[in-house]
PDB file of all heavy atoms in Angstrom:
ATOM      1  N   ILE H  28     -19.833 -26.948 173.384  1.00  0.00           N
ATOM      2  CA  ILE H  28     -20.331 -28.273 173.749  1.00  0.00           C
ATOM      3  C   ILE H  28     -21.837 -28.218 173.984  1.00  0.00           C
ATOM      4  O   ILE H  28     -22.412 -27.150 174.182  1.00  0.00           O
ATOM      5  CB  ILE H  28     -19.616 -28.822 175.006  1.00  0.00           C
ATOM      6  CG1 ILE H  28     -19.888 -27.911 176.222  1.00  0.00           C
ATOM      7  CG2 ILE H  28     -18.147 -28.993 174.766  1.00  0.00           C
ATOM      8  CD1 ILE H  28     -19.499 -28.548 177.531  1.00  0.00           C
ATOM      9  N   GLY H  29     -22.471 -29.396 173.924  1.00  0.00           N
ATOM     10  CA  GLY H  29     -23.909 -29.469 174.158  1.00  0.00           C
ATOM     11  C   GLY H  29     -24.736 -29.051 172.969  1.00  0.00           C
ATOM     12  O   GLY H  29     -25.945 -28.836 173.095  1.00  0.00           O
ATOM     13  N   VAL H  30     -24.094 -28.945 171.804  1.00  0.00           N
ATOM     14  CA  VAL H  30     -24.779 -28.512 170.583  1.00  0.00           C
ATOM     15  C   VAL H  30     -24.514 -29.546 169.492  1.00  0.00           C
ATOM     16  O   VAL H  30     -23.360 -29.892 169.226  1.00  0.00           O
ATOM     17  CB  VAL H  30     -24.292 -27.125 170.127  1.00  0.00           C
ATOM     18  CG1 VAL H  30     -25.012 -26.690 168.846  1.00  0.00           C
ATOM     19  CG2 VAL H  30     -24.501 -26.090 171.232  1.00  0.00           C
ATOM     20  N   ALA H  31     -25.583 -30.039 168.861  1.00  0.00           N
ATOM     21  CA  ALA H  31     -25.436 -30.976 167.748  1.00  0.00           C
ATOM     22  C   ALA H  31     -25.276 -30.207 166.447  1.00  0.00           C
ATOM     23  O   ALA H  31     -25.645 -29.027 166.356  1.00  0.00           O
ATOM     24  CB  ALA H  31     -26.656 -31.884 167.673  1.00  0.00           C
ATOM     25  N   ALA H  32     -24.728 -30.870 165.440  1.00  0.00           N
ATOM     26  CA  ALA H  32     -24.574 -30.213 164.136  1.00  0.00           C
ATOM     27  C   ALA H  32     -25.937 -29.932 163.512  1.00  0.00           C
ATOM     28  O   ALA H  32     -26.177 -28.866 162.957  1.00  0.00           O
ATOM     29  CB  ALA H  32     -23.729 -31.080 163.207  1.00  0.00           C
ATOM     30  N   HIS H  33     -26.847 -30.905 163.625  1.00  0.00           N
ATOM     31  CA  HIS H  33     -28.173 -30.773 163.020  1.00  0.00           C
ATOM     32  C   HIS H  33     -29.157 -31.632 163.798  1.00  0.00           C
ATOM     33  O   HIS H  33     -28.760 -32.480 164.612  1.00  0.00           O
ATOM     34  CB  HIS H  33     -28.143 -31.193 161.544  1.00  0.00           C
ATOM     35  CG  HIS H  33     -27.645 -32.599 161.336  1.00  0.00           C
ATOM     36  ND1 HIS H  33     -28.402 -33.712 161.616  1.00  0.00           N
ATOM     37  CD2 HIS H  33     -26.457 -33.060 160.883  1.00  0.00           C
ATOM     38  CE1 HIS H  33     -27.719 -34.802 161.339  1.00  0.00           C
ATOM     39  NE2 HIS H  33     -26.526 -34.445 160.898  1.00  0.00           N
ATOM     40  N   PRO H  34     -30.461 -31.462 163.593  1.00  0.00           N
ATOM     41  CA  PRO H  34     -31.441 -32.279 164.310  1.00  0.00           C
ATOM     42  C   PRO H  34     -31.293 -33.756 163.949  1.00  0.00           C
ATOM     43  O   PRO H  34     -30.890 -34.103 162.840  1.00  0.00           O
ATOM     44  CB  PRO H  34     -32.785 -31.731 163.820  1.00  0.00           C
ATOM     45  CG  PRO H  34     -32.489 -30.367 163.294  1.00  0.00           C
ATOM     46  CD  PRO H  34     -31.104 -30.441 162.735  1.00  0.00           C
ATOM     47  N   SER H  35     -31.632 -34.615 164.880  1.00  0.00           N
ATOM     48  CA  SER H  35     -31.617 -36.057 164.644  1.00  0.00           C
ATOM     49  C   SER H  35     -32.617 -36.696 165.590  1.00  0.00           C
ATOM     50  O   SER H  35     -32.996 -36.097 166.606  1.00  0.00           O
ATOM     51  CB  SER H  35     -30.217 -36.638 164.859  1.00  0.00           C
ATOM     52  OG  SER H  35     -29.790 -36.420 166.193  1.00  0.00           O
ATOM     53  N   PRO H  36     -33.090 -37.911 165.278  1.00  0.00           N
ATOM     54  CA  PRO H  36     -34.066 -38.577 166.159  1.00  0.00           C
ATOM     55  C   PRO H  36     -33.527 -38.714 167.577  1.00  0.00           C
ATOM     56  O   PRO H  36     -32.399 -39.158 167.790  1.00  0.00           O
ATOM     57  CB  PRO H  36     -34.249 -39.942 165.493  1.00  0.00           C
ATOM     58  CG  PRO H  36     -33.914 -39.707 164.053  1.00  0.00           C
ATOM     59  CD  PRO H  36     -32.817 -38.696 164.061  1.00  0.00           C
ATOM     60  N   GLY H  37     -34.334 -38.313 168.548  1.00  0.00           N
ATOM     61  CA  GLY H  37     -33.937 -38.433 169.944  1.00  0.00           C
ATOM     62  C   GLY H  37     -33.206 -37.235 170.500  1.00  0.00           C
ATOM     63  O   GLY H  37     -33.028 -37.119 171.716  1.00  0.00           O
ATOM     64  N   TRP H  38     -32.755 -36.312 169.635  1.00  0.00           N
ATOM     65  CA  TRP H  38     -32.045 -35.124 170.114  1.00  0.00           C
ATOM     66  C   TRP H  38     -33.006 -33.946 170.176  1.00  0.00           C
ATOM     67  O   TRP H  38     -33.606 -33.565 169.163  1.00  0.00           O
ATOM     68  CB  TRP H  38     -30.864 -34.779 169.203  1.00  0.00           C
ATOM     69  CG  TRP H  38     -30.161 -33.514 169.623  1.00  0.00           C
ATOM     70  CD1 TRP H  38     -30.188 -32.302 168.998  1.00  0.00           C
ATOM     71  CD2 TRP H  38     -29.334 -33.328 170.776  1.00  0.00           C
ATOM     72  NE1 TRP H  38     -29.445 -31.373 169.682  1.00  0.00           N
ATOM     73  CE2 TRP H  38     -28.900 -31.976 170.784  1.00  0.00           C
ATOM     74  CE3 TRP H  38     -28.920 -34.168 171.802  1.00  0.00           C
ATOM     75  CZ2 TRP H  38     -28.079 -31.466 171.776  1.00  0.00           C
ATOM     76  CZ3 TRP H  38     -28.094 -33.653 172.799  1.00  0.00           C
ATOM     77  CH2 TRP H  38     -27.682 -32.317 172.774  1.00  0.00           C
ATOM     78  N   THR H  39     -33.145 -33.343 171.345  1.00  0.00           N
ATOM     79  CA  THR H  39     -34.057 -32.210 171.514  1.00  0.00           C
ATOM     80  C   THR H  39     -33.324 -30.927 171.884  1.00  0.00           C
ATOM     81  O   THR H  39     -33.955 -29.902 172.142  1.00  0.00           O
ATOM     82  CB  THR H  39     -35.093 -32.520 172.610  1.00  0.00           C
ATOM     83  OG1 THR H  39     -34.405 -32.811 173.845  1.00  0.00           O
ATOM     84  CG2 THR H  39     -35.953 -33.716 172.223  1.00  0.00           C
ATOM     85  N   GLY H  40     -31.995 -30.980 171.908  1.00  0.00           N
ATOM     86  CA  GLY H  40     -31.208 -29.819 172.283  1.00  0.00           C
ATOM     87  C   GLY H  40     -30.913 -28.899 171.108  1.00  0.00           C
ATOM     88  O   GLY H  40     -31.421 -29.082 169.997  1.00  0.00           O
ATOM     89  N   PRO H  41     -30.070 -27.892 171.339  1.00  0.00           N
ATOM     90  CA  PRO H  41     -29.743 -26.917 170.296  1.00  0.00           C
ATOM     91  C   PRO H  41     -28.896 -27.526 169.190  1.00  0.00           C
ATOM     92  O   PRO H  41     -28.210 -28.534 169.394  1.00  0.00           O
ATOM     93  CB  PRO H  41     -28.974 -25.841 171.057  1.00  0.00           C
ATOM     94  CG  PRO H  41     -28.381 -26.558 172.230  1.00  0.00           C
ATOM     95  CD  PRO H  41     -29.379 -27.605 172.613  1.00  0.00           C
ATOM     96  N   THR H  42     -28.941 -26.900 168.012  1.00  0.00           N
ATOM     97  CA  THR H  42     -28.166 -27.360 166.862  1.00  0.00           C
ATOM     98  C   THR H  42     -27.488 -26.181 166.174  1.00  0.00           C
ATOM     99  O   THR H  42     -27.925 -25.033 166.297  1.00  0.00           O
ATOM    100  CB  THR H  42     -29.064 -28.073 165.824  1.00  0.00           C
ATOM    101  OG1 THR H  42     -29.994 -27.124 165.277  1.00  0.00           O
ATOM    102  CG2 THR H  42     -29.825 -29.234 166.453  1.00  0.00           C
ATOM    103  N   VAL H  43     -26.434 -26.500 165.440  1.00  0.00           N
ATOM    104  CA  VAL H  43     -25.731 -25.468 164.673  1.00  0.00           C
ATOM    105  C   VAL H  43     -26.650 -24.869 163.618  1.00  0.00           C
ATOM    106  O   VAL H  43     -26.740 -23.643 163.477  1.00  0.00           O
ATOM    107  CB  VAL H  43     -24.462 -26.047 164.024  1.00  0.00           C
ATOM    108  CG1 VAL H  43     -23.864 -25.053 163.017  1.00  0.00           C
ATOM    109  CG2 VAL H  43     -23.420 -26.396 165.088  1.00  0.00           C
ATOM    110  N   VAL H  44     -27.349 -25.716 162.855  1.00  0.00           N
ATOM    111  CA  VAL H  44     -28.209 -25.178 161.795  1.00  0.00           C
ATOM    112  C   VAL H  44     -29.359 -24.364 162.381  1.00  0.00           C
ATOM    113  O   VAL H  44     -29.775 -23.351 161.799  1.00  0.00           O
ATOM    114  CB  VAL H  44     -28.734 -26.306 160.879  1.00  0.00           C
ATOM    115  CG1 VAL H  44     -27.601 -26.915 160.074  1.00  0.00           C
ATOM    116  CG2 VAL H  44     -29.462 -27.379 161.658  1.00  0.00           C
ATOM    117  N   GLY H  45     -29.875 -24.766 163.537  1.00  0.00           N
ATOM    118  CA  GLY H  45     -30.924 -23.980 164.184  1.00  0.00           C
ATOM    119  C   GLY H  45     -30.413 -22.645 164.674  1.00  0.00           C
ATOM    120  O   GLY H  45     -31.092 -21.618 164.562  1.00  0.00           O
ATOM    121  N   GLY H  46     -29.181 -22.646 165.223  1.00  0.00           N
ATOM    122  CA  GLY H  46     -28.581 -21.400 165.688  1.00  0.00           C
ATOM    123  C   GLY H  46     -28.306 -20.442 164.550  1.00  0.00           C
ATOM    124  O   GLY H  46     -28.522 -19.229 164.674  1.00  0.00           O
ATOM    125  N   LEU H  47     -27.833 -20.978 163.407  1.00  0.00           N
ATOM    126  CA  LEU H  47     -27.582 -20.120 162.244  1.00  0.00           C
ATOM    127  C   LEU H  47     -28.889 -19.551 161.692  1.00  0.00           C
ATOM    128  O   LEU H  47     -28.957 -18.383 161.297  1.00  0.00           O
ATOM    129  CB  LEU H  47     -26.841 -20.910 161.161  1.00  0.00           C
ATOM    130  CG  LEU H  47     -25.381 -21.267 161.469  1.00  0.00           C
ATOM    131  CD1 LEU H  47     -24.815 -22.170 160.379  1.00  0.00           C
ATOM    132  CD2 LEU H  47     -24.526 -19.999 161.599  1.00  0.00           C
ATOM    133  N   ALA H  48     -29.930 -20.393 161.672  1.00  0.00           N
ATOM    134  CA  ALA H  48     -31.226 -19.909 161.180  1.00  0.00           C
ATOM    135  C   ALA H  48     -31.751 -18.789 162.062  1.00  0.00           C
ATOM    136  O   ALA H  48     -32.277 -17.773 161.574  1.00  0.00           O
ATOM    137  CB  ALA H  48     -32.220 -21.072 161.125  1.00  0.00           C
ATOM    138  N   ALA H  49     -31.610 -18.943 163.380  1.00  0.00           N
ATOM    139  CA  ALA H  49     -32.081 -17.910 164.300  1.00  0.00           C
ATOM    140  C   ALA H  49     -31.313 -16.609 164.141  1.00  0.00           C
ATOM    141  O   ALA H  49     -31.840 -15.524 164.379  1.00  0.00           O
ATOM    142  CB  ALA H  49     -31.962 -18.414 165.743  1.00  0.00           C
ATOM    143  N   ALA H  50     -30.045 -16.724 163.734  1.00  0.00           N
ATOM    144  CA  ALA H  50     -29.214 -15.533 163.552  1.00  0.00           C
ATOM    145  C   ALA H  50     -29.376 -14.918 162.163  1.00  0.00           C
ATOM    146  O   ALA H  50     -28.701 -13.929 161.842  1.00  0.00           O
ATOM    147  CB  ALA H  50     -27.741 -15.902 163.783  1.00  0.00           C
ATOM    148  N   GLY H  51     -30.254 -15.498 161.356  1.00  0.00           N
ATOM    149  CA  GLY H  51     -30.549 -14.911 160.054  1.00  0.00           C
ATOM    150  C   GLY H  51     -29.699 -15.403 158.908  1.00  0.00           C
ATOM    151  O   GLY H  51     -29.758 -14.841 157.806  1.00  0.00           O
ATOM    152  N   TYR H  52     -28.928 -16.457 159.111  1.00  0.00           N
ATOM    153  CA  TYR H  52     -28.087 -16.986 158.031  1.00  0.00           C
ATOM    154  C   TYR H  52     -28.916 -17.901 157.140  1.00  0.00           C
ATOM    155  O   TYR H  52     -29.660 -18.757 157.623  1.00  0.00           O
ATOM    156  CB  TYR H  52     -26.895 -17.760 158.598  1.00  0.00           C
ATOM    157  CG  TYR H  52     -25.867 -16.881 159.258  1.00  0.00           C
ATOM    158  CD1 TYR H  52     -25.983 -16.543 160.610  1.00  0.00           C
ATOM    159  CD2 TYR H  52     -24.781 -16.376 158.538  1.00  0.00           C
ATOM    160  CE1 TYR H  52     -25.046 -15.732 161.223  1.00  0.00           C
ATOM    161  CE2 TYR H  52     -23.841 -15.564 159.147  1.00  0.00           C
ATOM    162  CZ  TYR H  52     -23.980 -15.235 160.485  1.00  0.00           C
ATOM    163  OH  TYR H  52     -23.054 -14.421 161.086  1.00  0.00           O
ATOM    164  N   ARG H  53     -28.749 -17.742 155.839  1.00  0.00           N
ATOM    165  CA  ARG H  53     -29.379 -18.632 154.875  1.00  0.00           C
ATOM    166  C   ARG H  53     -28.315 -19.581 154.354  1.00  0.00           C
ATOM    167  O   ARG H  53     -27.258 -19.149 153.868  1.00  0.00           O
ATOM    168  CB  ARG H  53     -30.011 -17.841 153.728  1.00  0.00           C
ATOM    169  CG  ARG H  53     -31.111 -16.889 154.184  1.00  0.00           C
ATOM    170  CD  ARG H  53     -31.796 -16.235 153.004  1.00  0.00           C
ATOM    171  NE  ARG H  53     -32.493 -17.215 152.169  1.00  0.00           N
ATOM    172  CZ  ARG H  53     -33.175 -16.889 151.065  1.00  0.00           C
ATOM    173  NH1 ARG H  53     -33.251 -15.618 150.677  1.00  0.00           N
ATOM    174  NH2 ARG H  53     -33.780 -17.817 150.352  1.00  0.00           N
ATOM    175  N   ILE H  54     -28.565 -20.875 154.466  1.00  0.00           N
ATOM    176  CA  ILE H  54     -27.562 -21.853 154.059  1.00  0.00           C
ATOM    177  C   ILE H  54     -28.065 -22.654 152.872  1.00  0.00           C
ATOM    178  O   ILE H  54     -29.233 -22.560 152.476  1.00  0.00           O
ATOM    179  CB  ILE H  54     -27.180 -22.780 155.231  1.00  0.00           C
ATOM    180  CG1 ILE H  54     -28.411 -23.500 155.786  1.00  0.00           C
ATOM    181  CG2 ILE H  54     -26.502 -21.978 156.331  1.00  0.00           C
ATOM    182  CD1 ILE H  54     -28.093 -24.434 156.931  1.00  0.00           C
ATOM    183  N   ALA H  55     -27.184 -23.459 152.289  1.00  0.00           N
ATOM    184  CA  ALA H  55     -27.516 -24.223 151.086  1.00  0.00           C
ATOM    185  C   ALA H  55     -28.706 -25.136 151.345  1.00  0.00           C
ATOM    186  O   ALA H  55     -28.929 -25.607 152.465  1.00  0.00           O
ATOM    187  CB  ALA H  55     -26.308 -25.046 150.647  1.00  0.00           C
ATOM    188  N   THR H  56     -29.487 -25.392 150.296  1.00  0.00           N
ATOM    189  CA  THR H  56     -30.640 -26.279 150.420  1.00  0.00           C
ATOM    190  C   THR H  56     -30.291 -27.715 150.078  1.00  0.00           C
ATOM    191  O   THR H  56     -31.140 -28.607 150.198  1.00  0.00           O
ATOM    192  CB  THR H  56     -31.781 -25.799 149.503  1.00  0.00           C
ATOM    193  OG1 THR H  56     -31.302 -25.751 148.150  1.00  0.00           O
ATOM    194  CG2 THR H  56     -32.259 -24.417 149.919  1.00  0.00           C
ATOM    195  N   SER H  57     -29.051 -27.974 149.653  1.00  0.00           N
ATOM    196  CA  SER H  57     -28.640 -29.341 149.332  1.00  0.00           C
ATOM    197  C   SER H  57     -28.536 -30.165 150.607  1.00  0.00           C
ATOM    198  O   SER H  57     -28.199 -29.652 151.669  1.00  0.00           O
ATOM    199  CB  SER H  57     -27.284 -29.331 148.622  1.00  0.00           C
ATOM    200  OG  SER H  57     -27.359 -28.631 147.396  1.00  0.00           O
ATOM    201  N   GLY H  58     -28.810 -31.456 150.477  1.00  0.00           N
ATOM    202  CA  GLY H  58     -28.767 -32.341 151.630  1.00  0.00           C
ATOM    203  C   GLY H  58     -30.160 -32.582 152.177  1.00  0.00           C
ATOM    204  O   GLY H  58     -31.132 -31.942 151.768  1.00  0.00           O
ATOM    205  N   ALA H  59     -30.271 -33.545 153.096  1.00  0.00           N
ATOM    206  CA  ALA H  59     -31.564 -33.827 153.722  1.00  0.00           C
ATOM    207  C   ALA H  59     -32.094 -32.581 154.414  1.00  0.00           C
ATOM    208  O   ALA H  59     -31.328 -31.709 154.841  1.00  0.00           O
ATOM    209  CB  ALA H  59     -31.415 -34.980 154.719  1.00  0.00           C
ATOM    210  N   ALA H  60     -33.423 -32.503 154.555  1.00  0.00           N
ATOM    211  CA  ALA H  60     -34.061 -31.276 155.052  1.00  0.00           C
ATOM    212  C   ALA H  60     -33.513 -30.833 156.397  1.00  0.00           C
ATOM    213  O   ALA H  60     -33.343 -29.635 156.638  1.00  0.00           O
ATOM    214  CB  ALA H  60     -35.574 -31.488 155.144  1.00  0.00           C
ATOM    215  N   GLU H  61     -33.225 -31.796 157.295  1.00  0.00           N
ATOM    216  CA  GLU H  61     -32.798 -31.415 158.636  1.00  0.00           C
ATOM    217  C   GLU H  61     -31.311 -31.087 158.719  1.00  0.00           C
ATOM    218  O   GLU H  61     -30.835 -30.601 159.741  1.00  0.00           O
ATOM    219  CB  GLU H  61     -33.145 -32.534 159.637  1.00  0.00           C
ATOM    220  CG  GLU H  61     -32.275 -33.771 159.563  1.00  0.00           C
ATOM    221  CD  GLU H  61     -32.711 -34.751 158.487  1.00  0.00           C
ATOM    222  OE1 GLU H  61     -33.582 -34.392 157.649  1.00  0.00           O
ATOM    223  OE2 GLU H  61     -32.180 -35.880 158.490  1.00  0.00           O
ATOM    224  N   ARG H  62     -30.555 -31.355 157.658  1.00  0.00           N
ATOM    225  CA  ARG H  62     -29.121 -31.047 157.695  1.00  0.00           C
ATOM    226  C   ARG H  62     -28.640 -30.379 156.405  1.00  0.00           C
ATOM    227  O   ARG H  62     -27.536 -30.638 155.931  1.00  0.00           O
ATOM    228  CB  ARG H  62     -28.312 -32.307 157.994  1.00  0.00           C
ATOM    229  CG  ARG H  62     -28.548 -33.497 157.072  1.00  0.00           C
ATOM    230  CD  ARG H  62     -27.644 -34.664 157.486  1.00  0.00           C
ATOM    231  NE  ARG H  62     -27.777 -35.813 156.621  1.00  0.00           N
ATOM    232  CZ  ARG H  62     -28.639 -36.809 156.810  1.00  0.00           C
ATOM    233  NH1 ARG H  62     -29.466 -36.772 157.840  1.00  0.00           N
ATOM    234  NH2 ARG H  62     -28.701 -37.832 155.980  1.00  0.00           N
ATOM    235  N   GLN H  63     -29.491 -29.532 155.851  1.00  0.00           N
ATOM    236  CA  GLN H  63     -29.104 -28.800 154.655  1.00  0.00           C
ATOM    237  C   GLN H  63     -27.868 -27.944 154.928  1.00  0.00           C
ATOM    238  O   GLN H  63     -27.787 -27.257 155.942  1.00  0.00           O
ATOM    239  CB  GLN H  63     -30.266 -27.929 154.181  1.00  0.00           C
ATOM    240  CG  GLN H  63     -31.426 -28.738 153.612  1.00  0.00           C
ATOM    241  CD  GLN H  63     -32.577 -27.869 153.161  1.00  0.00           C
ATOM    242  OE1 GLN H  63     -32.671 -26.711 153.528  1.00  0.00           O
ATOM    243  NE2 GLN H  63     -33.480 -28.431 152.369  1.00  0.00           N
TER     244      GLN H  63
END
């Protein structure tokens, strides 16, 4: 809890995509930049 799937306007907390990036995971580039 307390974690968003991806960044969005008004949200300044942690995100799944940010957590994966910090852990070294490379994910698909398809989709909008903030929710690839």
